[in-house]
Amino acid sequence: MSNMATHTLKISHGTSRARDTDGYPTVTLTDELGRKAKCMGGGYDMFGTVLASWICAAYPERVAKLGERAYYTYKPGQGTIVNRDGLYGVHHDSNDGKTRIDGAVGVSTVERMAREELGLTIKATVNAAGRVTGWTVED
């Protein structure tokens, strides 16, 4: 990513028509380059999930640095270890070295992490009814 890049993220809603998930709600986040993050179902924060997925894809190096402070760390032979002092919503897999942010913890947690831990400026965009329609993210 280049310095001082501004990204425009837009949310769209839909309904799955797949055989096993017909009727499930979907949320898709699309950036100005056409990159997408999608989720489906419910019972968790879908906005947080697509935002976290996009952040992990757009800023993998920054997210990787959060691994040493992860709340959840998977270790082969030991399972998942919880670090209560870690960053809530951050998962690290010591087997493959991958770190991710689990947006199901809530969009406000993901936004805060983007600001405080990743150094991003993030602002929700809302429509006239006050509903979130996306975000602007500045690097």
Coordinates of all heavy atoms in Angstrom, one line a residue, residues 54-136:
W54 N -11.5 -7.5 5.1 CA -10.9 -6.5 4.2 C -9.5 -6.0 4.7 O -8.5 -5.9 4.0 CB -11.8 -5.4 3.9 CG -11.2 -4.4 2.9 CD1 -11.2 -4.5 1.5 CD2 -10.4 -3.2 3.2 NE1 -10.5 -3.5 1.0 CE2 -10.0 -2.7 2.0 CE3 -10.0 -2.6 4.4 CZ2 -9.2 -1.5 1.9 CZ3 -9.3 -1.5 4.3 CH2 -8.9 -1.0 3.1
I55 N -9.5 -5.6 6.0 CA -8.3 -5.1 6.6 C -7.2 -6.2 6.6 O -6.1 -5.9 6.3 CB -8.6 -4.7 8.1 CG1 -9.4 -3.4 8.1 CG2 -7.3 -4.5 8.9 CD1 -9.9 -3.0 9.5
C56 N -7.5 -7.4 6.9 CA -6.5 -8.5 6.8 C -6.0 -8.7 5.4 O -4.8 -8.9 5.3 CB -7.1 -9.8 7.3 SG -7.4 -9.8 9.1
A57 N -6.8 -8.5 4.4 CA -6.3 -8.6 3.0 C -5.6 -7.4 2.5 O -4.6 -7.5 1.8 CB -7.5 -8.9 2.1
A58 N -6.0 -6.2 3.0 CA -5.3 -5.0 2.5 C -4.1 -4.7 3.3 O -3.2 -4.0 2.7 CB -6.3 -3.8 2.7
Y59 N -3.9 -5.1 4.5 CA -2.8 -4.8 5.4 C -2.2 -6.0 6.0 O -2.1 -6.1 7.2 CB -3.2 -3.7 6.4 CG -3.6 -2.4 5.8 CD1 -5.0 -2.2 5.7 CD2 -2.7 -1.5 5.4 CE1 -5.4 -1.0 5.1 CE2 -3.2 -0.3 4.8 CZ -4.5 -0.1 4.7 OH -4.9 1.1 4.1
P60 N -1.8 -7.0 5.3 CA -1.4 -8.3 5.9 C -0.2 -8.2 6.7 O 0.0 -8.8 7.8 CB -1.1 -9.2 4.7 CG -0.9 -8.3 3.5 CD -1.8 -7.1 3.8
E61 N 0.8 -7.3 6.4 CA 2.0 -7.1 7.2 C 1.7 -6.5 8.5 O 2.2 -7.0 9.6 CB 3.0 -6.2 6.4 CG 3.5 -6.8 5.1 CD 2.6 -6.4 4.0 OE1 1.7 -5.5 4.1 OE2 2.7 -7.0 2.9
R62 N 0.8 -5.6 8.6 CA 0.4 -4.9 9.8 C -0.3 -5.9 10.7 O -0.1 -6.0 11.9 CB -0.4 -3.7 9.6 CG 0.4 -2.6 9.0 CD -0.5 -1.3 8.9 NE 0.1 -0.4 8.0 CZ -0.3 0.8 7.8 NH1 -1.3 1.3 8.5 NH2 0.3 1.7 6.9
V63 N -1.2 -6.7 10.1 CA -2.0 -7.6 10.9 C -1.1 -8.7 11.4 O -1.2 -9.2 12.6 CB -3.2 -8.2 10.1 CG1 -3.8 -9.4 10.8 CG2 -4.2 -7.1 9.7
A64 N -0.1 -9.2 10.6 CA 0.8 -10.2 11.1 C 1.6 -9.8 12.3 O 1.8 -10.6 13.2 CB 1.8 -10.5 10.0
K65 N 1.9 -8.5 12.5 CA 2.6 -8.1 13.7 C 1.7 -8.2 15.0 O 2.3 -8.1 16.1 CB 3.0 -6.6 13.5 CG 4.1 -6.5 12.4 CD 4.5 -5.1 12.2 CE 5.6 -5.0 11.1 NZ 5.9 -3.6 10.8
L66 N 0.4 -8.3 14.8 CA -0.4 -8.5 16.0 C -0.4 -9.9 16.6 O -0.8 -10.1 17.7 CB -1.9 -8.1 15.6 CG -2.2 -6.7 15.1 CD1 -3.6 -6.6 14.7 CD2 -1.7 -5.7 16.0
G67 N 0.2 -10.8 15.8 CA 0.2 -12.2 16.2 C 0.8 -12.4 17.6 O 0.4 -13.3 18.4
E68 N 1.9 -11.7 17.9 CA 2.6 -11.9 19.2 C 1.7 -11.4 20.4 O 2.0 -11.8 21.5 CB 3.9 -11.3 19.2 CG 3.9 -9.8 19.0 CD 5.2 -9.2 18.7 OE1 6.1 -9.8 18.1 OE2 5.4 -8.0 19.1
R69 N 0.7 -10.6 20.1 CA -0.2 -10.1 21.1 C -1.6 -10.7 21.0 O -2.6 -10.1 21.5 CB -0.2 -8.6 21.1 CG 1.2 -8.1 21.4 CD 1.3 -6.6 21.3 NE 0.2 -5.8 21.7 CZ -0.3 -4.8 20.9 NH1 0.3 -4.4 19.8 NH2 -1.3 -4.1 21.3
A70 N -1.8 -11.8 20.3 CA -3.1 -12.4 20.0 C -3.8 -12.8 21.3 O -3.2 -13.3 22.2 CB -3.0 -13.6 19.0
Y71 N -5.1 -12.7 21.2 CA -5.9 -13.2 22.3 C -6.0 -14.8 22.3 O -5.9 -15.4 23.3 CB -7.3 -12.6 22.2 CG -8.2 -12.8 23.4 CD1 -8.1 -12.0 24.5 CD2 -9.1 -13.9 23.4 CE1 -9.0 -12.2 25.6 CE2 -10.0 -14.1 24.5 CZ -9.9 -13.2 25.6 OH -10.7 -13.4 26.7
Y72 N -6.1 -15.3 21.0 CA -6.2 -16.7 20.8 C -5.0 -17.1 20.0 O -4.7 -16.6 18.9 CB -7.4 -17.1 20.1 CG -8.7 -16.8 20.7 CD1 -9.5 -15.8 20.3 CD2 -9.2 -17.6 21.8 CE1 -10.7 -15.5 20.9 CE2 -10.4 -17.3 22.4 CZ -11.2 -16.2 22.0 OH -12.3 -16.0 22.6
T73 N -4.3 -18.1 20.5 CA -3.1 -18.7 19.7 C -3.3 -20.2 19.7 O -3.5 -20.9 20.7 CB -1.8 -18.4 20.4 OG1 -1.6 -16.9 20.4 CG2 -0.6 -19.0 19.6
Y74 N -3.3 -20.7 18.4 CA -3.4 -22.2 18.2 C -2.0 -22.7 18.2 O -1.1 -22.2 17.5 CB -4.1 -22.5 16.9 CG -4.0 -24.0 16.6 CD1 -4.8 -24.9 17.3 CD2 -3.1 -24.5 15.7 CE1 -4.7 -26.3 17.1 CE2 -3.0 -25.8 15.5 CZ -3.8 -26.7 16.2 OH -3.6 -28.1 15.9
K75 N -1.7 -23.8 19.0 CA -0.4 -24.4 19.0 C -0.7 -25.9 18.8 O -1.5 -26.5 19.6 CB 0.3 -24.2 20.4 CG 0.7 -22.8 20.5 CD 1.5 -22.6 21.8 CE 2.0 -21.1 21.9 NZ 2.9 -20.9 23.0
P76 N -0.1 -26.5 17.8 CA -0.3 -28.0 17.6 C 0.1 -28.8 18.9 O 1.0 -28.5 19.5 CB 0.7 -28.3 16.5 CG 1.0 -27.0 15.8 CD 0.9 -25.9 16.9
G77 N -0.8 -29.7 19.2 CA -0.6 -30.6 20.3 C -1.1 -29.9 21.6 O -1.3 -30.6 22.6
Q78 N -1.4 -28.6 21.6 CA -1.9 -28.0 22.8 C -3.3 -27.4 22.6 O -3.9 -27.1 23.6 CB -0.9 -26.8 23.2 CG 0.4 -27.3 23.6 CD 1.3 -26.1 24.0 OE1 0.9 -25.0 24.3 NE2 2.6 -26.3 23.9
G79 N -3.6 -27.2 21.4 CA -4.9 -26.6 21.1 C -4.8 -25.1 21.1 O -3.8 -24.5 20.9
T80 N -6.0 -24.4 21.4 CA -6.0 -23.0 21.4 C -5.8 -22.5 22.8 O -6.4 -22.9 23.8 CB -7.4 -22.5 20.9 OG1 -7.6 -23.0 19.6 CG2 -7.5 -21.0 20.9
I81 N -4.8 -21.6 22.9 CA -4.4 -21.0 24.2 C -5.0 -19.6 24.2 O -4.8 -18.8 23.3 CB -2.9 -21.0 24.4 CG1 -2.4 -22.5 24.4 CG2 -2.5 -20.3 25.6 CD1 -0.9 -22.7 24.2
V82 N -5.6 -19.2 25.3 CA -6.1 -17.9 25.5 C -5.2 -17.0 26.3 O -4.8 -17.4 27.4 CB -7.5 -17.9 26.2 CG1 -8.1 -16.5 26.4 CG2 -8.5 -18.8 25.4
N83 N -4.9 -15.8 25.8 CA -4.1 -14.8 26.5 C -5.1 -13.7 26.9 O -5.4 -12.8 26.1 CB -3.0 -14.3 25.6 CG -2.2 -13.1 26.2 OD1 -2.5 -12.8 27.4 ND2 -1.4 -12.5 25.4
R84 N -5.5 -13.7 28.1 CA -6.5 -12.7 28.5 C -6.0 -11.3 28.5 O -6.8 -10.4 28.5 CB -7.0 -13.1 30.0 CG -7.5 -14.5 30.1 CD -9.0 -14.5 30.4 NE -9.5 -15.8 30.6 CZ -10.3 -16.4 29.7 NH1 -10.8 -15.7 28.7 NH2 -10.7 -17.6 29.9
D85 N -4.7 -11.1 28.4 CA -4.2 -9.8 28.2 C -3.9 -9.4 26.7 O -3.4 -8.3 26.4 CB -2.8 -9.6 29.0 CG -3.0 -9.8 30.5 OD1 -4.1 -9.3 31.0 OD2 -2.2 -10.4 31.1
G86 N -4.3 -10.3 25.8 CA -4.0 -10.1 24.4 C -5.1 -9.2 23.8 O -6.0 -8.8 24.4
L87 N -4.9 -9.0 22.5 CA -5.9 -8.2 21.7 C -7.1 -9.0 21.4 O -7.0 -10.0 20.5 CB -5.2 -7.7 20.4 CG -4.0 -6.8 20.6 CD1 -3.3 -6.5 19.3 CD2 -4.5 -5.5 21.2
Y88 N -8.2 -8.7 22.0 CA -9.4 -9.5 21.8 C -9.8 -9.4 20.3 O -9.9 -8.4 19.7 CB -10.6 -8.9 22.7 CG -11.8 -9.7 22.6 CD1 -11.8 -11.0 23.1 CD2 -13.0 -9.2 22.1 CE1 -13.0 -11.8 23.0 CE2 -14.2 -9.9 22.0 CZ -14.2 -11.2 22.5 OH -15.3 -11.9 22.4
G89 N -10.1 -10.6 19.7 CA -10.5 -10.7 18.4 C -9.3 -11.1 17.4 O -9.5 -11.3 16.3
V90 N -8.1 -11.1 18.0 CA -7.0 -11.5 17.1 C -6.6 -13.0 17.4 O -6.5 -13.4 18.5 CB -5.7 -10.6 17.5 CG1 -4.5 -11.1 16.7 CG2 -6.0 -9.2 17.2
H91 N -6.5 -13.7 16.3 CA -6.2 -15.1 16.3 C -4.9 -15.3 15.6 O -4.7 -14.8 14.5 CB -7.3 -15.9 15.5 CG -8.6 -15.9 16.2 ND1 -9.2 -17.0 16.8 CD2 -9.6 -14.9 16.3 CE1 -10.4 -16.7 17.2 NE2 -10.6 -15.5 17.0
H92 N -4.0 -16.1 16.2 CA -2.8 -16.5 15.6 C -2.6 -18.0 15.6 O -2.9 -18.7 16.6 CB -1.6 -15.9 16.4 CG -0.3 -16.2 15.9 ND1 0.2 -15.7 14.7 CD2 0.7 -17.1 16.3 CE1 1.4 -16.2 14.5 NE2 1.7 -17.0 15.4
D93 N -2.2 -18.5 14.5 CA -1.9 -19.9 14.3 C -0.4 -20.1 14.2 O 0.2 -19.8 13.3 CB -2.6 -20.4 13.0 CG -2.5 -21.9 12.9 OD1 -1.5 -22.5 13.4 OD2 -3.4 -22.5 12.2
S94 N 0.1 -20.7 15.3 CA 1.6 -20.8 15.4 C 2.0 -21.9 14.4 O 3.2 -22.0 14.1 CB 2.1 -21.1 16.8 OG 1.6 -22.3 17.3
N95 N 1.1 -22.8 14.0 CA 1.5 -23.8 13.0 C 1.8 -23.3 11.6 O 2.8 -23.7 11.1 CB 0.3 -24.8 12.9 CG 0.7 -26.1 12.2 OD1 1.7 -26.6 12.4 ND2 -0.2 -26.5 11.3
D96 N 1.0 -22.4 11.1 CA 1.3 -21.8 9.8 C 1.7 -20.3 9.9 O 2.0 -19.7 8.8 CB 0.1 -21.9 8.9 CG -1.2 -21.2 9.3 OD1 -1.1 -20.3 10.3 OD2 -2.3 -21.4 8.8
G97 N 1.7 -19.7 11.1 CA 2.2 -18.4 11.3 C 1.2 -17.3 10.9 O 1.5 -16.1 10.9
K98 N 0.0 -17.7 10.5 CA -1.0 -16.7 10.1 C -1.7 -16.1 11.3 O -2.0 -16.7 12.3 CB -2.0 -17.3 9.1 CG -1.3 -17.8 7.8 CD -2.4 -18.2 6.9 CE -1.6 -18.6 5.6 NZ -2.5 -19.2 4.6
T99 N -2.0 -14.8 11.1 CA -2.7 -14.0 12.1 C -3.9 -13.4 11.4 O -3.8 -12.9 10.2 CB -1.8 -12.9 12.7 OG1 -0.7 -13.5 13.3 CG2 -2.6 -12.1 13.7
R100 N -5.1 -13.4 12.0 CA -6.3 -12.7 11.5 C -7.0 -12.0 12.6 O -6.9 -12.3 13.8 CB -7.1 -13.8 10.8 CG -7.8 -14.8 11.7 CD -8.7 -15.8 10.9 NE -9.2 -16.8 11.9 CZ -10.3 -16.6 12.6 NH1 -11.0 -15.5 12.5 NH2 -10.7 -17.6 13.4
I101 N -7.9 -11.1 12.1 CA -8.8 -10.4 13.0 C -10.2 -11.0 12.8 O -10.6 -11.1 11.7 CB -8.8 -8.9 12.7 CG1 -7.4 -8.3 12.9 CG2 -9.8 -8.2 13.6 CD1 -7.3 -6.9 12.4
D102 N -10.8 -11.5 13.9 CA -12.1 -12.1 13.8 C -13.1 -10.9 14.0 O -13.4 -10.5 15.2 CB -12.3 -13.2 14.8 CG -13.7 -13.8 14.8 OD1 -14.5 -13.4 14.0 OD2 -13.9 -14.8 15.6
G103 N -13.8 -10.5 13.0 CA -14.7 -9.4 13.1 C -16.0 -9.7 13.8 O -16.7 -8.8 14.1
A104 N -16.2 -11.0 14.0 CA -17.5 -11.3 14.8 C -17.5 -10.7 16.2 O -18.5 -10.7 16.8 CB -17.6 -12.8 14.8
V105 N -16.3 -10.3 16.6 CA -16.3 -9.6 18.0 C -16.9 -8.3 18.0 O -17.2 -7.8 19.1 CB -14.8 -9.5 18.5 CG1 -14.2 -10.9 18.7 CG2 -14.0 -8.6 17.6
G106 N -17.2 -7.7 16.8 CA -17.9 -6.5 16.8 C -17.2 -5.4 15.9 O -16.0 -5.3 16.0
V107 N -18.0 -4.7 15.2 CA -17.5 -3.7 14.3 C -16.7 -2.6 15.1 O -15.7 -2.1 14.6 CB -18.5 -3.1 13.3 CG1 -19.5 -2.2 14.1 CG2 -17.9 -2.3 12.2
S108 N -17.2 -2.2 16.3 CA -16.6 -1.2 17.0 C -15.2 -1.6 17.5 O -14.2 -0.8 17.5 CB -17.4 -0.7 18.2 OG -17.6 -1.8 19.1
T109 N -15.0 -2.9 17.8 CA -13.7 -3.5 18.2 C -12.8 -3.5 17.0 O -11.6 -3.1 17.2 CB -13.9 -4.9 18.8 OG1 -14.7 -4.8 19.9 CG2 -12.6 -5.5 19.1
V110 N -13.3 -3.8 15.8 CA -12.5 -3.8 14.6 C -12.0 -2.4 14.3 O -10.9 -2.1 14.0 CB -13.2 -4.5 13.4 CG1 -12.4 -4.4 12.2 CG2 -13.5 -5.9 13.8
E111 N -12.9 -1.4 14.4 CA -12.6 0.0 14.1 C -11.5 0.5 15.0 O -10.6 1.1 14.6 CB -13.9 0.8 14.2 CG -14.8 0.6 13.0 CD -16.1 1.4 13.2 OE1 -16.5 1.7 14.4 OE2 -16.8 1.7 12.2
R112 N -11.7 0.2 16.3 CA -10.8 0.6 17.3 C -9.4 0.0 17.1 O -8.3 0.7 17.2 CB -11.2 0.3 18.7 CG -10.3 0.7 19.9 CD -10.9 0.5 21.3 NE -11.6 -0.7 21.5 CZ -11.0 -1.9 21.6 NH1 -9.7 -2.1 21.5 NH2 -11.8 -3.0 21.8
M113 N -9.4 -1.3 16.7 CA -8.1 -2.0 16.5 C -7.4 -1.4 15.2 O -6.2 -1.2 15.2 CB -8.3 -3.5 16.3 CG -7.1 -4.3 16.3 SD -7.3 -6.1 16.3 CE -8.6 -6.3 17.5
A114 N -8.2 -1.0 14.2 CA -7.7 -0.4 13.0 C -7.0 0.9 13.4 O -5.9 1.2 12.9 CB -8.8 -0.2 12.0
R115 N -7.6 1.7 14.2 CA -7.0 3.0 14.6 C -5.8 2.8 15.6 O -4.7 3.3 15.3 CB -8.1 3.8 15.4 CG -9.1 4.5 14.5 CD -10.0 5.5 15.2 NE -10.8 4.9 16.3 CZ -12.0 4.3 16.1 NH1 -12.5 4.4 14.9 NH2 -12.6 3.8 17.1
E116 N -6.0 2.1 16.7 CA -5.1 2.0 17.7 C -3.9 1.1 17.5 O -2.8 1.4 17.9 CB -5.7 1.6 19.0 CG -6.7 2.7 19.5 CD -7.5 2.2 20.8 OE1 -7.2 1.2 21.4 OE2 -8.4 3.0 21.2
E117 N -4.1 0.0 16.8 CA -3.1 -1.0 16.6 C -2.5 -1.0 15.2 O -1.3 -1.4 15.0 CB -3.6 -2.4 16.9 CG -4.2 -2.6 18.3 CD -3.2 -2.4 19.4 OE1 -2.0 -2.6 19.2 OE2 -3.6 -2.0 20.5
L118 N -3.2 -0.6 14.2 CA -2.7 -0.6 12.8 C -2.4 0.8 12.3 O -1.9 0.9 11.1 CB -3.7 -1.3 11.9 CG -4.1 -2.8 12.4 CD1 -5.2 -3.3 11.5 CD2 -2.9 -3.6 12.4
G119 N -2.8 1.8 13.0 CA -2.4 3.2 12.6 C -3.3 3.7 11.4 O -2.8 4.6 10.7
L120 N -4.5 3.2 11.3 CA -5.4 3.6 10.2 C -6.3 4.7 10.7 O -6.7 4.7 11.9 CB -6.1 2.4 9.6 CG -5.3 1.3 9.1 CD1 -6.2 0.1 8.7 CD2 -4.5 1.7 7.9
T121 N -6.7 5.6 9.8 CA -7.8 6.5 10.1 C -9.1 5.9 9.5 O -9.1 5.7 8.3 CB -7.5 7.9 9.6 OG1 -6.3 8.4 10.1 CG2 -8.7 8.9 9.9
I122 N -10.1 5.6 10.3 CA -11.2 4.9 9.8 C -12.5 5.7 10.2 O -12.6 6.0 11.4 CB -11.3 3.4 10.2 CG1 -12.4 2.7 9.5 CG2 -11.2 3.3 11.7 CD1 -12.3 1.2 9.6
K123 N -13.4 5.9 9.3 CA -14.6 6.6 9.6 C -15.8 5.9 8.9 O -15.7 5.7 7.7 CB -14.5 8.0 9.1 CG -15.7 8.9 9.5 CD -15.5 10.3 9.2 CE -16.5 11.2 9.8 NZ -17.6 11.6 9.1
A124 N -16.8 5.6 9.6 CA -18.0 5.0 9.0 C -18.8 6.1 8.2 O -18.8 7.2 8.5 CB -18.9 4.5 10.1
T125 N -19.3 5.6 7.1 CA -20.2 6.5 6.3 C -21.6 6.0 6.6 O -21.9 4.8 6.7 CB -19.9 6.4 4.8 OG1 -19.9 5.0 4.4 CG2 -18.5 7.0 4.5
V126 N -22.5 6.9 6.7 CA -23.9 6.6 7.1 C -24.9 7.3 6.1 O -24.5 8.3 5.5 CB -24.2 7.0 8.5 CG1 -23.4 6.2 9.5 CG2 -24.0 8.5 8.7
N127 N -26.0 6.7 5.9 CA -27.0 7.3 5.1 C -27.9 8.2 5.9 O -27.7 8.4 7.1 CB -27.8 6.2 4.3 CG -28.6 5.3 5.3 OD1 -28.8 5.6 6.5 ND2 -29.1 4.1 4.8
A128 N -29.0 8.7 5.2 CA -29.9 9.7 5.9 C -30.6 9.1 7.1 O -30.9 9.8 8.0 CB -30.9 10.3 4.9
A129 N -30.8 7.8 7.1 CA -31.4 7.1 8.2 C -30.5 6.8 9.3 O -30.9 6.2 10.3 CB -32.1 5.8 7.7
G130 N -29.2 7.1 9.1 CA -28.2 6.8 10.2 C -27.6 5.4 10.1 O -26.9 5.0 11.1
R131 N -27.8 4.7 9.1 CA -27.3 3.4 8.9 C -26.0 3.4 8.2 O -25.7 4.1 7.3 CB -28.3 2.5 8.2 CG -29.6 2.3 8.9 CD -30.5 1.4 8.3 NE -31.8 1.5 9.1 CZ -32.7 0.6 9.0 NH1 -32.5 -0.5 8.3 NH2 -33.8 0.7 9.8
V132 N -25.1 2.5 8.7 CA -23.7 2.4 8.1 C -23.8 1.9 6.7 O -24.5 0.8 6.5 CB -22.8 1.5 9.0 CG1 -21.5 1.3 8.3 CG2 -22.6 2.1 10.4
T133 N -23.2 2.6 5.8 CA -23.2 2.1 4.4 C -21.8 1.8 3.9 O -21.6 1.3 2.8 CB -23.7 3.2 3.5 OG1 -22.9 4.4 3.6 CG2 -25.2 3.5 3.8
G134 N -20.8 2.0 4.8 CA -19.4 1.6 4.5 C -18.5 2.4 5.4 O -18.8 2.9 6.4
W135 N -17.2 2.6 4.9 CA -16.2 3.3 5.6 C -15.3 4.0 4.6 O -15.1 3.6 3.5 CB -15.4 2.3 6.4 CG -16.1 1.6 7.5 CD1 -16.2 2.1 8.8 CD2 -16.8 0.4 7.5 NE1 -17.0 1.2 9.6 CE2 -17.3 0.1 8.7 CE3 -17.1 -0.5 6.4 CZ2 -18.1 -1.0 9.0 CZ3 -17.8 -1.6 6.7 CH2 -18.3 -1.8 8.0
T136 N -14.6 5.0 5.1 CA -13.4 5.5 4.5 C -12.2 5.2 5.4 O -12.3 5.3 6.6 CB -13.4 7.0 4.2 OG1 -13.6 7.7 5.5 CG2 -14.6 7.4 3.3

